[in-house]
């Protein structure tokens, strides 16, 4: 039986507390009014926009003999310019207010998707009746325990995004003015999608997705533990059938979830590859965490039956799915960029122009580094190589989620600062606490699995 070490438990608690403090500080330091925003900019040396106004005043005085209608036109133009400036300031303030919310959302989604990726990988092993992986089942079950607090956290954040609460403006399509015919802000495209993109259906679907994932995890875990005490393979067979059904539901629910929880930030844009793209990101992140947790437990003298061949297979999956993610990224990018349809290509233009470093840096983190370090077969058997590659891959896919969320919510006002660090620390602490607490609840070896002996002897 695994015992949750006091040092690791303390680290998880400190991480949550520190993360919460940073998040609270981020909210407290966010301007609440345009005047406060301008005061903060002035204190950082970004003030001084009076040159054009002074120039215009001088020009008006110089041309004092112009006709009255010209003066009226100038006055009207000045008023329109002032109105546009006020709208710009309000829009900028909205994006700044969104920043801590977006940082929390990215961290919450990132750790939830790790757990969901592991859940899918676990179900695939069950449905395929794989012989190599049963010695890792308890590790997978421990990680998938986070799917419960992970999805609950997302649902809470989605509820806090509802326009009736007026807390943030992350999902622009939730603005009721956009679907009100005759309103100045009426948007025909948003109105056409209101059958799907409406707050009520949005929350109901979120509950349905989460219920499917949680139900499978809870039932499968119970069957797995019962199999340990069973005298036959009936629970194993039930788990096999359950996994097959779940994988069908997962493919549907995961695609729909990616449309709702990520793609709808850019609600005018869509991609038919997006569900697969998000899946590839969560899949490789989940497999990477399986490898890291396994290596940690082995370093503590646990998991004696896990050998270099098991880790080699996990590293192969890390390498292979990284290539698969890159294929999907390039396919989505190349087809949209080549077609050059304005409403589609603007998604990438925004990211290339305003998010140049994280956009292209993500490719280096998620493709070039894993390709170079994990291509060698011998390196896949070295724990320290796998750990380094794993940390880089996880950071790269955090940046991937960052690139999917930030441009539509905060515009050009992005950074990797206190809100982002605070969000990651809080959910990292929660993730570690839940996962390693779950690992203490059952033996780390699924001893009555019919393929457990094959898994113990897995060598090549």
């Amino acid at each position: 039986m695994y015992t949750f070490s006091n040092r690791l438990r303390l680290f998880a608690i400190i991480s949550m507390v520190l993360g919460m403090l940073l998040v609270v500080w981020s909210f407290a330091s966010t301007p609440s009014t345009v005047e406060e925003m301008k005061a903060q900019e002035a204190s950082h040396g970004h003030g001084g926009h009076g040159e054009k106004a002074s120039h215009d005043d001088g020009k008006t005085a110089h041309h004092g003999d112009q006709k009255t209608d010209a003066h009226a036109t100038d006055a009207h133009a000045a008023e329109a310019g002032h109105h546009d400036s006020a709208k710009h300031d309000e829009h900028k303030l909205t994006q700044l207010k969104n920043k801590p919310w977006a940082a929390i959302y990215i961290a919450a989604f990132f750790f939830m998707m790790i757990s969901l990726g592991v859940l899918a990988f676990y179900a695939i092993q069950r449905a395929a009746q794989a012989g190599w992986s049963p010695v890792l089942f308890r590790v997978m079950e421990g990680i998938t325990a986070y799917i419960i607090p992970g999805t609950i956290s997302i649902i809470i954040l989605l509820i806090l995004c509802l326009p009736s609460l007026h807390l943030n403006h992350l999902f622009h399509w939730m603005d009721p003015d956009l679907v009100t015919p005759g309103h100045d802000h009426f948007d025909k495209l948003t109105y056409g999608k209101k059958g799907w993109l409406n707050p009520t259906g949005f929350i109901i679907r979120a509950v349905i997705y989460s219920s499917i994932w949680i139900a499978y995890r809870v039932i499968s875990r119970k069957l797995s533990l019962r199999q340990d005490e069973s005298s036959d393979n009936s629970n194993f067979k039930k788990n096999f059938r359950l996994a097959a059904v779940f994988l069908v539901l997962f493919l549907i629910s995961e695609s729909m979830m990616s449309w709702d929880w990520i793609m709808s930030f850019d609600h005018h844009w869509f991609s038919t590859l997006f569900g697969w793209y998000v899946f590839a990101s969560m899949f490789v992140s989940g497999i990477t965490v399986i490898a890291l947790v396994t290596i940690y437990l082995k370093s503590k003298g646990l998991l004696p039956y896990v050998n270099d061949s098991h880790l080699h297979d996990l590293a192969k999956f890390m390498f292979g799915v990284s290539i698969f993610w890159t294929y999907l990224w390039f396919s989505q990018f190349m087809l949209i960029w080549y077609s050059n349809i304005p409403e589609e290509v603007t998604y990438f233009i925004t990211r290339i122009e305003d998010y140049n470093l994280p956009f292209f840096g993500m490719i280096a983190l998620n493709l070039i580094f894993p390709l170079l370090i994990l291509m060698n077969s011998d390196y896949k058997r070295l724990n320290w190589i796998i750990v380094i590659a794993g940390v880089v891959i996880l950071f790269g896919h955090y940046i991937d989620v960052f690139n999917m969320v930030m441009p539509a919510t905060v515009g050009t006002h992005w950074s990797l600062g206190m809100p982002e660090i605070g969000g990651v620390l809080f959910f990292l602490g929660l993730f570690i606490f839940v996962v390693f607490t779950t690992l203490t609840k059952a033996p780390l070896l699924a001893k009555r699995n019919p393929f457990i002996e094959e898994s113990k002897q897995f060598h090549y």
Side-chain angles (χ1 to χ4, degrees):
M1 292 287 288
Y2 169 72
T3 301
F4 196 174
S5 70
N6 291 330
R7 183 175 297 178
L8 185 59
R9 188 194 305 273
L10 182 62
F11 172 81
I13 294 172
I14 291 175
S15 181
M16 283 190 285
V17 172
L18 182 58
M20 181 61 71
L21 290 175
L22 290 176
V23 167
V24 170
W25 179 85
S26 300
F27 277 106
S29 61
T30 300
S32 56
T33 64
V34 172
E35 291 73 19
E36 187 177 340
M37 177 186 73
K38 291 184 175 180
Q40 287 186 3
E41 290 177 347
S43 67
H44 288 87
H46 299 293
H49 296 280
E51 292 82 359
K52 188 178 185 299
S54 299
H55 177 71
D56 290 343
D57 289 344
K59 185 166 62 176
T60 302
H62 179 70
H63 297 285
D65 57 344
Q66 297 298 316
K67 295 179 181 180
T68 305
D69 58 342
H71 284 291
T73 301
D74 289 345
H76 178 73
E79 182 180 353
H82 177 75
H83 179 68
D84 290 342
S85 178
K87 287 178 63 177
H88 172 76
D89 289 340
E90 286 292 339
H91 181 64
K92 182 177 180 180
L93 177 64
T94 298
Q95 291 182 330
L96 291 175
K97 286 182 176 179
N98 280 343
K99 193 173 186 301
W101 287 103
I104 295 170
Y105 188 91
I106 291 168
F109 183 86
F110 176 69
F111 284 99
M112 184 282 298
M113 84 171 191
I114 288 174
S115 183
L116 185 57
V118 175
L119 190 67
F121 187 72
Y122 175 74
I124 289 171
Q125 303 305 307
R126 287 283 186 184
Q129 297 189 1
W132 73 276
S133 56
V135 293
L136 300 170
F137 277 2
R138 289 291 187 259
V139 174
M140 298 183 202
E141 290 168 9
I143 299 171
T144 57
Y146 184 78
I147 199 69
I148 299 173
T151 52
I152 290 174
S153 299
I154 291 290
I155 291 174
I156 291 173
L157 286 171
L158 296 180
I159 292 173
L160 294 177
C161 290
L162 294 177
S164 57
L165 298 178
H166 302 288
L167 293 176
N168 60 65
H169 205 67
L170 288 183
F171 294 92
H172 183 58
W173 60 263
M174 287 189 179
D175 186 348
D177 295 342
L178 297 179
V179 292
T180 304
H183 196 280
D184 290 343
H185 296 156
F186 175 72
D187 184 79
K188 186 177 180 180
L189 286 175
T190 307
Y191 184 79
K193 297 180 180 182
K194 71 172 186 176
W196 181 270
L197 291 180
N198 61 84
T200 301
F202 187 67
I203 299 300
I204 291 174
R205 289 195 302 273
V207 172
I208 292 173
Y209 308 149
S210 302
S211 298
I212 291 171
W213 306 332
I214 292 173
Y216 170 70
R217 195 272 164 186
V218 170
I219 297 172
S220 181
R221 167 74 167 182
K222 287 182 178 178
L223 292 173
S224 179
L225 295 179
R226 286 177 187 170
Q227 181 63 29
D228 278 5
E229 309 301 328
S230 177
S231 58
D232 56 28
N233 293 330
S234 59
N235 292 297
F236 172 81
K237 293 176 181 177
K238 290 177 182 177
N239 228 336
F240 161 72
R241 290 191 291 268
L242 181 65
V245 173
F246 168 74
L247 287 173
V248 176
L249 296 176
F250 169 79
L251 289 174
I252 299 171
S253 60
E254 185 277 332
S255 291
M256 294 168 68
M257 174 275 291
S258 67
W259 305 339
D260 280 355
W261 295 2
I262 298 292
M263 193 165 68
S264 73
F265 285 117
D266 297 271
H267 65 283
H268 282 179
W269 177 84
F270 66 90
S271 168
T272 54
L273 276 176
F274 200 77
W276 283 105
Y277 178 76
V278 174
F279 167 74
S281 190
M282 70 169 58
F283 203 51
V284 68
S285 299
I287 294 168
T288 299
V289 171
I290 295 173
L292 295 180
V293 173
T294 299
I295 290 171
Y296 170 79
L297 293 174
K298 277 191 68 66
S299 71
K300 300 298 180 182
L302 303 167
L303 301 178
Y305 296 106
V306 174
N307 55 50
D308 290 347
S309 295
H310 295 104
L311 293 173
H312 185 273
D313 268 17
L314 289 173
K316 282 196 295 187
F317 276 111
M318 290 165 59
F319 174 79
V321 182
S322 292
I323 302 299
F324 177 59
W325 173 89
T326 308
Y327 161 74
L328 292 173
W329 178 89
F330 180 74
S331 298
Q332 182 174 255
F333 174 79
M334 183 271 293
L335 291 173
I336 290 175
W337 191 260
Y338 182 76
S339 65
N340 202 26
I341 300 173
E343 59 267 27
E344 292 183 359
V345 77
T346 184
Y347 181 87
F348 288 105
I349 290 176
T350 300
R351 283 153 178 81
I352 291 172
E353 291 183 352
D354 299 331
Y355 288 74
N356 193 275
L357 178 60
F359 183 75
F360 289 107
M362 173 184 69
I363 306 302
L365 294 170
N366 294 339
L367 169 65
I368 298 175
F369 190 86
L371 184 68
L372 294 177
I373 198 171
L374 291 178
M375 180 176 287
N376 189 302
S377 182
D378 293 335
Y379 287 175
K380 295 186 183 77
R381 295 177 182 270
L382 300 177
N383 290 354
W384 67 274
I385 290 286
I386 297 174
V387 169
I388 292 174
V391 170
V392 173
I393 288 172
L394 290 178
F395 179 65
H397 285 282
Y398 171 84
I399 297 297
D400 187 16
V401 179
F402 183 91
N403 286 330
M404 288 189 278
V405 174
M406 281 292 183
T409 55
V410 306
T412 59
H413 311 293
W414 67 272
S415 66
L416 289 174
M418 292 303 173
E420 290 75 22
I421 295 172
V424 169
L425 285 177
F426 176 79
F427 286 103
L428 173 64
L430 181 61
F431 182 85
I432 291 173
F433 190 86
V434 171
V435 169
F436 286 91
T437 298
T438 304
L439 289 174
T440 66
K441 304 297 184 182
L444 293 180
L445 185 67
K447 56 186 178 182
R448 274 284 293 119
N449 185 290
F451 296 100
I452 197 65
E453 290 303 321
E454 179 181 343
S455 186
K456 287 180 182 180
Q457 304 302 322
F458 180 66
H459 288 284
Y460 65 90

